[in-house]
Amino acid sequence: MKGDSFRFIPLACAAVFPWFFSALPGQVPDYDIGKWAGSKFSEKAGRFFQALTLQTSHHLFSRESSGDRLSLGGTVTMTSSFTHSDLRPISGKTGLLPVFEGNLPVTTNLSLNGAYTAFSSSGDVVIVYRYGMDLFLGGPWLVELQRGHLEGTDDFFLKTVGVAIVRQINYDKRNYWIGVGSGFYSAGVHIKNRLGDVTFPQRLEGDVTYLLAGLDRELGTHYAVDVEVKIHPSFLSLMVGVSRILH
């Protein structure tokens, strides 16, 4: 009975924590970029889109040895700027982002993953979804490829593409990983083209390159907890997740 109770706890956390975080003040992402109207709009918005690209690119750990085991779970991500207060952690514009995720091994060296979330921000219904794959190259190395979308805001939509090269280190029941990656974004801006003598771009494009490191800790045979951090000279992005491994 005690073992069953212990295994129930991570699953309950995965189901409850998105609603728990939605009740916290100041954590809902703020996607109103019209307040940055002015000559430095492209600079401020570009920095914001870099932070979003980092925040939406996290995903649960892929296990090469998991066979046909499907993983379902949830993550919470946040991104903070080292230099700009409007992108501070939790209460900044990127807030906390809870996401439902899935990971499915297809072959011994290929795993597919996807994620989805929806929430209300400043009257907008925001939808974020992502899909991708992890390709194991043999030994400890793998390549991550991802495509992401953020839709529903009045001011912009965001499309991202990401690639990362990762080295995994397995020790005891812990899996560590380190690597380097790049995210590329394309944002369509919806705010008015002109405000006084200021012209706004219809589209902003850019990229963000980062170092990443993470830890996956299995809890028994059915559950796991993941922590991942991505570091850029101007940003730090953190993910915490819990997943249920299905046989």
Coordinates of all heavy atoms in Angstrom, one line a residue, residues 10-11 13-14 17 21 57-64 66 69-78 97 99-104 111 113-114 130 134 136 142 144 166 168-170 173-177 212-220 222-230 237-245:
P10 N 3.7 11.6 -7.7 CA 4.1 12.3 -8.9 C 3.0 12.5 -9.9 O 2.9 13.5 -10.5 CB 5.3 11.4 -9.4 CG 5.7 10.6 -8.2 CD 4.5 10.4 -7.5
L11 N 2.1 11.5 -10.1 CA 1.1 11.6 -11.0 C 0.1 12.7 -10.6 O -0.4 13.5 -11.4 CB 0.3 10.3 -11.2 CG -0.8 10.2 -12.2 CD1 -0.2 10.5 -13.6 CD2 -1.5 8.9 -12.2
C13 N 0.8 15.3 -8.8 CA 1.5 16.6 -9.0 C 1.4 17.0 -10.5 O 1.2 18.2 -10.8 CB 3.0 16.5 -8.6 SG 3.2 16.3 -6.8
A14 N 1.6 16.1 -11.4 CA 1.5 16.4 -12.8 C 0.2 16.9 -13.2 O 0.0 17.8 -14.1 CB 1.9 15.1 -13.7
F17 N -0.4 20.7 -10.8 CA 0.4 21.9 -10.7 C 0.1 23.0 -11.8 O 0.3 24.1 -11.5 CB 1.9 21.6 -10.7 CG 2.5 21.1 -12.0 CD1 2.8 22.0 -13.0 CD2 3.0 19.8 -12.1 CE1 3.4 21.5 -14.2 CE2 3.6 19.3 -13.2 CZ 3.8 20.2 -14.3
F21 N -0.2 26.8 -10.3 CA 0.5 27.9 -10.7 C -0.4 29.0 -11.3 O -0.1 30.2 -11.1 CB 1.6 27.5 -11.8 CG 2.8 26.9 -11.2 CD1 3.0 25.5 -11.2 CD2 3.7 27.6 -10.5 CE1 4.1 24.9 -10.7 CE2 4.8 27.1 -9.9 CZ 5.0 25.7 -10.0
S57 N 11.2 25.9 -25.8 CA 11.9 24.8 -26.4 C 12.3 23.7 -25.5 O 12.9 22.7 -25.9 CB 13.2 25.4 -27.1 OG 14.1 25.9 -26.1
H58 N 12.1 23.8 -24.2 CA 12.4 22.7 -23.2 C 11.5 21.5 -23.5 O 10.4 21.7 -24.0 CB 12.1 23.2 -21.8 CG 13.1 24.2 -21.3 ND1 14.4 23.9 -20.9 CD2 13.0 25.5 -21.1 CE1 15.0 25.0 -20.4 NE2 14.1 26.0 -20.6
H59 N 12.0 20.3 -23.2 CA 11.1 19.2 -23.3 C 11.7 18.1 -22.4 O 12.8 18.1 -21.9 CB 10.9 18.7 -24.7 CG 12.1 18.0 -25.3 ND1 12.4 16.7 -25.1 CD2 13.1 18.4 -26.1 CE1 13.5 16.3 -25.7 NE2 13.9 17.4 -26.4
L60 N 10.8 17.1 -22.1 CA 11.2 16.0 -21.1 C 12.3 15.2 -21.7 O 12.5 15.1 -22.9 CB 10.0 15.2 -20.9 CG 8.8 15.8 -20.1 CD1 7.6 14.9 -20.1 CD2 9.3 16.1 -18.7
F61 N 13.0 14.5 -20.8 CA 14.2 13.7 -21.2 C 13.7 12.5 -22.1 O 12.7 11.9 -21.8 CB 14.8 13.2 -19.9 CG 16.0 12.3 -20.1 CD1 17.2 12.8 -20.5 CD2 15.9 10.9 -19.9 CE1 18.3 12.0 -20.7 CE2 17.0 10.1 -20.1 CZ 18.2 10.6 -20.5
S62 N 14.5 12.2 -23.1 CA 14.3 11.0 -24.0 C 15.2 9.9 -23.6 O 16.4 10.1 -23.5 CB 14.5 11.4 -25.5 OG 13.5 12.4 -25.9
R63 N 14.6 8.7 -23.4 CA 15.4 7.6 -23.0 C 15.7 6.6 -24.1 O 14.7 6.0 -24.6 CB 14.7 6.9 -21.8 CG 14.6 7.7 -20.6 CD 13.6 7.1 -19.6 NE 13.5 7.9 -18.4 CZ 12.7 8.9 -18.3 NH1 12.0 9.3 -19.4 NH2 12.7 9.7 -17.2
E64 N 16.9 6.5 -24.5 CA 17.2 5.6 -25.6 C 16.9 4.1 -25.3 O 16.5 3.3 -26.1 CB 18.7 5.7 -26.0 CG 19.1 4.8 -27.2 CD 20.6 5.0 -27.5 OE1 21.3 5.5 -26.7 OE2 21.0 4.6 -28.7
S66 N 14.5 3.1 -23.4 CA 13.1 2.9 -22.9 C 12.2 2.0 -23.7 O 11.1 1.8 -23.4 CB 12.4 4.3 -22.7 OG 12.3 4.9 -24.0
R69 N 8.3 2.5 -24.4 CA 7.6 3.1 -23.2 C 7.2 4.6 -23.6 O 8.1 5.4 -23.8 CB 8.5 3.1 -22.0 CG 8.7 1.6 -21.5 CD 9.3 1.6 -20.1 NE 10.7 2.2 -20.1 CZ 11.4 2.5 -19.0 NH1 10.9 2.1 -17.8 NH2 12.6 3.0 -19.1
L70 N 6.0 4.9 -23.5 CA 5.5 6.2 -23.7 C 5.5 7.0 -22.4 O 5.2 6.5 -21.3 CB 4.0 6.2 -24.2 CG 3.2 7.5 -24.2 CD1 3.8 8.4 -25.3 CD2 1.7 7.2 -24.4
S71 N 6.0 8.2 -22.5 CA 6.1 9.1 -21.3 C 5.1 10.2 -21.4 O 5.1 10.9 -22.5 CB 7.5 9.7 -21.1 OG 8.4 8.6 -20.8
L72 N 4.3 10.5 -20.4 CA 3.4 11.6 -20.4 C 3.6 12.4 -19.1 O 3.8 11.8 -18.0 CB 1.9 11.1 -20.4 CG 1.4 10.4 -21.7 CD1 0.0 9.9 -21.5 CD2 1.5 11.3 -22.9
G73 N 3.5 13.7 -19.2 CA 3.8 14.5 -18.0 C 3.5 15.9 -18.2 O 2.9 16.3 -19.2
G74 N 4.1 16.7 -17.3 CA 3.9 18.2 -17.4 C 5.2 18.9 -16.9 O 6.0 18.3 -16.2
T75 N 5.4 20.0 -17.5 CA 6.6 20.8 -17.1 C 6.1 22.3 -16.8 O 5.0 22.7 -17.2 CB 7.6 20.9 -18.3 OG1 7.0 21.5 -19.4 CG2 8.0 19.5 -18.7
V76 N 6.9 23.0 -16.1 CA 6.8 24.4 -15.8 C 8.1 25.0 -16.2 O 9.2 24.6 -15.8 CB 6.4 24.7 -14.4 CG1 6.5 26.2 -14.1 CG2 5.1 24.2 -14.0
T77 N 8.1 26.1 -17.1 CA 9.3 26.8 -17.5 C 9.2 28.2 -17.2 O 8.1 28.8 -17.1 CB 9.5 26.6 -19.0 OG1 8.4 27.2 -19.7 CG2 9.6 25.1 -19.4
M78 N 10.4 28.8 -17.0 CA 10.5 30.3 -16.8 C 11.8 30.7 -17.5 O 12.8 30.0 -17.6 CB 10.5 30.6 -15.3 CG 11.6 29.9 -14.5 SD 11.9 30.7 -12.9 CE 13.0 32.0 -13.4
L97 N 5.2 29.1 -17.4 CA 4.5 28.5 -18.5 C 4.3 27.0 -18.2 O 5.3 26.2 -18.4 CB 5.3 28.7 -19.8 CG 4.5 28.2 -21.1 CD1 3.3 29.0 -21.3 CD2 5.5 28.3 -22.3
V99 N 3.1 23.3 -19.1 CA 2.9 22.6 -20.4 C 2.6 21.1 -20.2 O 3.3 20.5 -19.3 CB 4.1 22.8 -21.3 CG1 3.9 22.1 -22.7 CG2 4.4 24.3 -21.6
F100 N 1.7 20.5 -20.9 CA 1.5 19.1 -21.0 C 2.4 18.5 -22.1 O 2.4 19.0 -23.2 CB 0.1 18.7 -21.2 CG -0.8 19.0 -20.0 CD1 -1.7 20.1 -20.1 CD2 -0.8 18.2 -18.9 CE1 -2.5 20.4 -19.0 CE2 -1.6 18.5 -17.8 CZ -2.5 19.6 -17.9
E101 N 3.1 17.4 -21.8 CA 4.1 16.9 -22.8 C 3.9 15.4 -22.9 O 3.4 14.7 -22.0 CB 5.5 17.2 -22.3 CG 5.8 18.7 -22.2 CD 7.2 19.0 -22.5 OE1 7.9 18.2 -23.1 OE2 7.7 20.1 -22.0
G102 N 4.4 14.9 -24.1 CA 4.5 13.4 -24.3 C 5.7 13.1 -25.1 O 6.2 13.9 -25.8
N103 N 6.2 11.9 -24.9 CA 7.4 11.4 -25.5 C 7.2 10.0 -25.9 O 6.9 9.2 -25.1 CB 8.6 11.6 -24.6 CG 9.9 11.3 -25.3 OD1 10.2 10.2 -25.8 ND2 10.8 12.3 -25.4
L104 N 7.4 9.6 -27.2 CA 7.2 8.3 -27.7 C 8.4 7.8 -28.4 O 8.7 8.3 -29.5 CB 5.9 8.3 -28.6 CG 5.6 6.9 -29.2 CD1 5.3 5.8 -28.2 CD2 4.5 7.0 -30.2
S111 N 13.1 9.1 -31.2 CA 12.0 9.3 -30.3 C 11.3 10.6 -30.7 O 11.9 11.6 -31.1 CB 12.6 9.5 -28.9 OG 11.5 9.8 -27.9
N113 N 8.4 13.7 -29.8 CA 7.9 14.4 -28.6 C 7.0 15.5 -29.1 O 7.1 16.0 -30.2 CB 9.0 14.9 -27.7 CG 9.9 15.9 -28.5 OD1 9.6 17.0 -28.7 ND2 11.1 15.4 -28.8
G114 N 6.1 15.9 -28.2 CA 5.1 17.0 -28.5 C 4.7 17.6 -27.2 O 4.8 17.0 -26.1
R130 N 4.2 22.4 -29.6 CA 5.5 22.1 -30.1 C 5.6 20.6 -30.4 O 4.9 19.8 -29.8 CB 6.6 22.5 -29.0 CG 8.0 22.0 -29.4 CD 9.0 22.3 -28.3 NE 8.5 21.9 -26.9 CZ 8.4 20.7 -26.5 NH1 8.7 19.7 -27.3 NH2 8.0 20.4 -25.3
D134 N 14.0 13.4 -31.3 CA 15.4 13.2 -30.8 C 16.0 12.0 -31.6 O 15.4 10.9 -31.6 CB 15.4 12.9 -29.3 CG 15.0 14.1 -28.5 OD1 15.0 15.2 -29.0 OD2 14.5 13.9 -27.3
F136 N 19.1 9.5 -31.9 CA 20.3 9.0 -31.2 C 21.4 8.6 -32.2 O 21.1 7.8 -33.1 CB 19.9 7.8 -30.3 CG 19.0 8.2 -29.2 CD1 17.6 8.2 -29.3 CD2 19.5 8.6 -27.9 CE1 16.8 8.6 -28.3 CE2 18.7 9.0 -26.9 CZ 17.3 8.9 -27.1
L142 N 23.1 12.6 -29.1 CA 21.8 12.7 -29.8 C 21.7 14.1 -30.3 O 22.3 15.1 -29.9 CB 20.7 12.3 -28.9 CG 20.3 13.2 -27.7 CD1 19.3 14.3 -28.1 CD2 19.7 12.3 -26.6
E144 N 18.6 16.9 -31.2 CA 17.2 17.3 -31.0 C 16.8 18.3 -32.1 O 17.5 19.3 -32.4 CB 17.1 18.1 -29.6 CG 17.4 17.2 -28.4 CD 17.3 18.0 -27.1 OE1 17.1 19.2 -27.2 OE2 17.5 17.4 -26.0
V166 N 23.4 17.0 -28.0 CA 23.4 16.7 -26.6 C 24.2 15.4 -26.3 O 24.1 14.5 -27.1 CB 22.0 16.5 -26.1 CG1 21.9 16.2 -24.6 CG2 21.1 17.8 -26.4
Q168 N 24.6 12.6 -23.3 CA 24.0 12.0 -22.1 C 25.0 11.2 -21.3 O 25.9 10.6 -21.8 CB 22.8 11.1 -22.5 CG 21.7 11.8 -23.2 CD 20.5 10.9 -23.5 OE1 20.5 9.7 -23.2 NE2 19.4 11.4 -24.0
I169 N 24.8 11.3 -20.0 CA 25.6 10.6 -19.0 C 24.7 9.9 -18.1 O 23.9 10.5 -17.4 CB 26.5 11.5 -18.3 CG1 27.4 12.3 -19.2 CG2 27.4 10.7 -17.3 CD1 28.2 13.5 -18.6
N170 N 24.7 8.5 -18.0 CA 23.9 7.7 -17.2 C 24.7 7.3 -16.0 O 25.7 6.7 -16.1 CB 23.3 6.5 -17.9 CG 22.5 7.0 -19.2 OD1 21.8 7.9 -19.1 ND2 22.7 6.2 -20.3
K173 N 20.4 5.7 -11.1 CA 19.1 5.9 -11.7 C 19.0 7.3 -12.1 O 17.9 7.8 -12.3 CB 18.0 5.5 -10.7 CG 17.9 4.1 -10.4 CD 16.7 3.8 -9.6 CE 16.5 2.3 -9.4 NZ 15.3 2.0 -8.6
R174 N 20.1 8.0 -12.3 CA 20.1 9.4 -12.8 C 20.6 9.5 -14.2 O 21.6 8.8 -14.5 CB 20.9 10.3 -11.8 CG 20.4 10.3 -10.4 CD 21.3 11.2 -9.5 NE 20.8 11.2 -8.1 CZ 21.1 10.4 -7.2 NH1 21.9 9.3 -7.5 NH2 20.6 10.5 -6.0
N175 N 20.0 10.4 -15.0 CA 20.5 10.7 -16.3 C 20.9 12.1 -16.4 O 20.0 13.0 -16.1 CB 19.4 10.3 -17.3 CG 19.0 8.9 -17.3 OD1 19.8 8.0 -17.7 ND2 17.8 8.6 -16.8
Y176 N 22.1 12.4 -16.8 CA 22.5 13.8 -16.9 C 22.7 14.1 -18.4 O 23.0 13.2 -19.2 CB 23.8 14.0 -16.2 CG 23.8 13.7 -14.7 CD1 24.1 12.5 -14.2 CD2 23.5 14.7 -13.8 CE1 24.1 12.2 -12.9 CE2 23.5 14.4 -12.4 CZ 23.8 13.2 -12.0 OH 23.7 12.9 -10.6
W177 N 22.5 15.4 -18.8 CA 22.9 15.7 -20.2 C 23.4 17.1 -20.2 O 23.0 18.0 -19.5 CB 21.6 15.5 -21.1 CG 20.4 16.4 -20.8 CD1 20.1 17.6 -21.4 CD2 19.4 16.1 -19.9 NE1 18.9 18.1 -20.9 CE2 18.4 17.2 -20.0 CE3 19.1 15.1 -19.0 CZ2 17.3 17.2 -19.3 CZ3 17.9 15.1 -18.3 CH2 17.0 16.2 -18.4
L212 N 23.1 24.1 -22.6 CA 22.1 23.4 -21.8 C 22.7 22.3 -20.9 O 23.7 21.7 -21.3 CB 21.0 22.9 -22.7 CG 21.3 21.8 -23.7 CD1 21.0 20.4 -23.1 CD2 20.5 21.9 -25.0
A213 N 22.0 22.1 -19.8 CA 22.4 21.0 -18.9 C 21.1 20.5 -18.2 O 20.2 21.3 -17.9 CB 23.4 21.4 -17.9
G214 N 21.1 19.2 -17.9 CA 19.9 18.7 -17.3 C 20.1 17.5 -16.4 O 21.1 16.8 -16.5
L215 N 19.1 17.2 -15.6 CA 19.1 16.0 -14.8 C 17.7 15.3 -14.8 O 16.7 16.0 -14.7 CB 19.4 16.4 -13.3 CG 19.1 15.3 -12.3 CD1 20.0 14.1 -12.4 CD2 19.3 15.9 -10.9
D216 N 17.7 14.0 -15.1 CA 16.5 13.2 -15.0 C 16.7 12.1 -13.9 O 17.6 11.4 -13.9 CB 16.3 12.5 -16.4 CG 15.2 11.5 -16.3 OD1 14.0 11.9 -16.5 OD2 15.5 10.3 -16.2
R217 N 15.7 12.1 -13.0 CA 15.8 11.2 -11.8 C 14.6 10.3 -11.9 O 13.4 10.8 -11.8 CB 15.9 11.9 -10.5 CG 15.9 11.0 -9.3 CD 17.2 10.2 -9.2 NE 17.4 9.7 -7.9 CZ 17.0 8.5 -7.5 NH1 16.4 7.7 -8.4 NH2 17.3 8.0 -6.3
E218 N 14.8 9.0 -12.1 CA 13.7 8.1 -12.1 C 13.2 7.7 -10.6 O 14.1 7.6 -9.7 CB 14.1 6.8 -12.8 CG 14.3 7.0 -14.3 CD 14.6 5.6 -15.0 OE1 14.3 4.6 -14.4 OE2 15.0 5.7 -16.2
L219 N 11.9 7.7 -10.4 CA 11.3 7.4 -9.1 C 10.6 6.0 -9.3 O 9.5 6.0 -9.8 CB 10.4 8.5 -8.7 CG 10.9 9.9 -8.6 CD1 9.8 10.9 -8.2 CD2 12.0 10.0 -7.6
G220 N 11.3 5.0 -8.9 CA 10.8 3.6 -9.1 C 10.9 3.3 -10.6 O 11.8 3.7 -11.3
H222 N 8.1 3.8 -12.7 CA 7.0 4.4 -13.5 C 7.1 5.9 -13.6 O 6.4 6.5 -14.4 CB 5.7 4.0 -12.9 CG 5.4 2.6 -12.9 ND1 5.0 1.9 -14.1 CD2 5.4 1.6 -12.0 CE1 4.8 0.7 -13.8 NE2 5.0 0.4 -12.5
Y223 N 7.9 6.6 -12.8 CA 7.9 8.0 -12.7 C 9.3 8.6 -12.8 O 10.3 7.9 -12.5 CB 7.2 8.5 -11.4 CG 5.8 8.1 -11.3 CD1 5.4 6.9 -10.6 CD2 4.8 8.8 -11.9 CE1 4.1 6.5 -10.5 CE2 3.4 8.4 -11.8 CZ 3.1 7.3 -11.1 OH 1.8 6.9 -11.1
A224 N 9.4 9.9 -13.2 CA 10.6 10.5 -13.3 C 10.4 12.0 -13.1 O 9.4 12.6 -13.4 CB 11.3 10.3 -14.6
V225 N 11.5 12.7 -12.6 CA 11.5 14.1 -12.4 C 12.6 14.7 -13.2 O 13.8 14.2 -13.2 CB 11.6 14.5 -10.9 CG1 11.8 16.0 -10.7 CG2 10.5 14.0 -10.1
D226 N 12.4 15.7 -14.0 CA 13.4 16.4 -14.8 C 13.6 17.8 -14.4 O 12.7 18.5 -14.1 CB 12.9 16.4 -16.3 CG 12.9 15.0 -16.9 OD1 13.1 14.0 -16.2 OD2 12.7 14.9 -18.1
V227 N 14.9 18.2 -14.5 CA 15.3 19.6 -14.4 C 16.2 19.9 -15.5 O 17.2 19.2 -15.7 CB 15.9 19.9 -13.0 CG1 16.4 21.3 -12.9 CG2 15.0 19.5 -11.8
E228 N 16.0 21.1 -16.2 CA 16.9 21.5 -17.3 C 17.1 23.0 -17.2 O 16.2 23.7 -16.9 CB 16.3 21.1 -18.6 CG 17.2 21.4 -19.8 CD 16.6 21.0 -21.1 OE1 15.6 21.6 -21.6 OE2 17.2 20.1 -21.8
V229 N 18.3 23.4 -17.5 CA 18.6 24.8 -17.6 C 19.3 25.1 -18.9 O 20.1 24.3 -19.4 CB 19.5 25.2 -16.4 CG1 20.8 24.5 -16.4 CG2 19.7 26.8 -16.4
K230 N 18.9 26.3 -19.5 CA 19.5 26.8 -20.7 C 20.1 28.1 -20.4 O 19.4 29.0 -19.9 CB 18.5 26.8 -21.9 CG 18.0 25.4 -22.3 CD 17.1 25.5 -23.5 CE 16.7 24.1 -23.9 NZ 15.8 24.1 -25.1
S237 N 17.1 30.1 -18.7 CA 15.8 29.5 -18.8 C 15.8 28.2 -18.0 O 16.7 27.4 -18.1 CB 15.4 29.3 -20.2 OG 14.1 28.8 -20.3
L238 N 14.8 28.0 -17.2 CA 14.7 26.8 -16.3 C 13.4 26.0 -16.5 O 12.3 26.6 -16.7 CB 14.8 27.3 -14.8 CG 14.6 26.2 -13.8 CD1 15.8 25.2 -13.8 CD2 14.4 26.8 -12.4
M239 N 13.5 24.7 -16.6 CA 12.4 23.8 -16.7 C 12.4 22.8 -15.5 O 13.5 22.3 -15.2 CB 12.4 23.0 -18.0 CG 11.3 22.0 -18.1 SD 11.6 20.6 -19.3 CE 12.7 19.6 -18.2
V240 N 11.2 22.6 -14.9 CA 11.0 21.5 -13.9 C 9.8 20.7 -14.4 O 8.8 21.3 -14.7 CB 10.8 22.1 -12.5 CG1 10.5 20.9 -11.5 CG2 12.0 22.9 -12.1
G241 N 10.0 19.4 -14.5 CA 8.9 18.5 -15.0 C 8.8 17.2 -14.2 O 9.8 16.8 -13.6
V242 N 7.6 16.6 -14.3 CA 7.4 15.3 -13.8 C 6.6 14.5 -14.8 O 5.8 15.0 -15.5 CB 6.6 15.4 -12.4 CG1 5.2 16.1 -12.7 CG2 6.4 14.0 -11.8
S243 N 7.0 13.2 -15.0 CA 6.4 12.4 -16.0 C 6.0 11.0 -15.5 O 6.6 10.5 -14.5 CB 7.3 12.3 -17.2 OG 8.5 11.7 -16.9
R244 N 5.1 10.4 -16.2 CA 4.7 9.0 -15.9 C 5.1 8.2 -17.1 O 4.8 8.5 -18.2 CB 3.1 8.9 -15.7 CG 2.5 7.5 -15.7 CD 2.9 6.9 -14.3 NE 2.0 5.8 -14.0 CZ 2.1 4.5 -14.4 NH1 3.1 4.2 -15.2 NH2 1.2 3.6 -14.0
I245 N 5.9 7.1 -16.8 CA 6.4 6.2 -17.9 C 5.4 5.1 -18.0 O 5.2 4.3 -17.1 CB 7.8 5.7 -17.5 CG1 8.7 6.9 -17.3 CG2 8.3 4.9 -18.7 CD1 10.1 6.5 -16.7

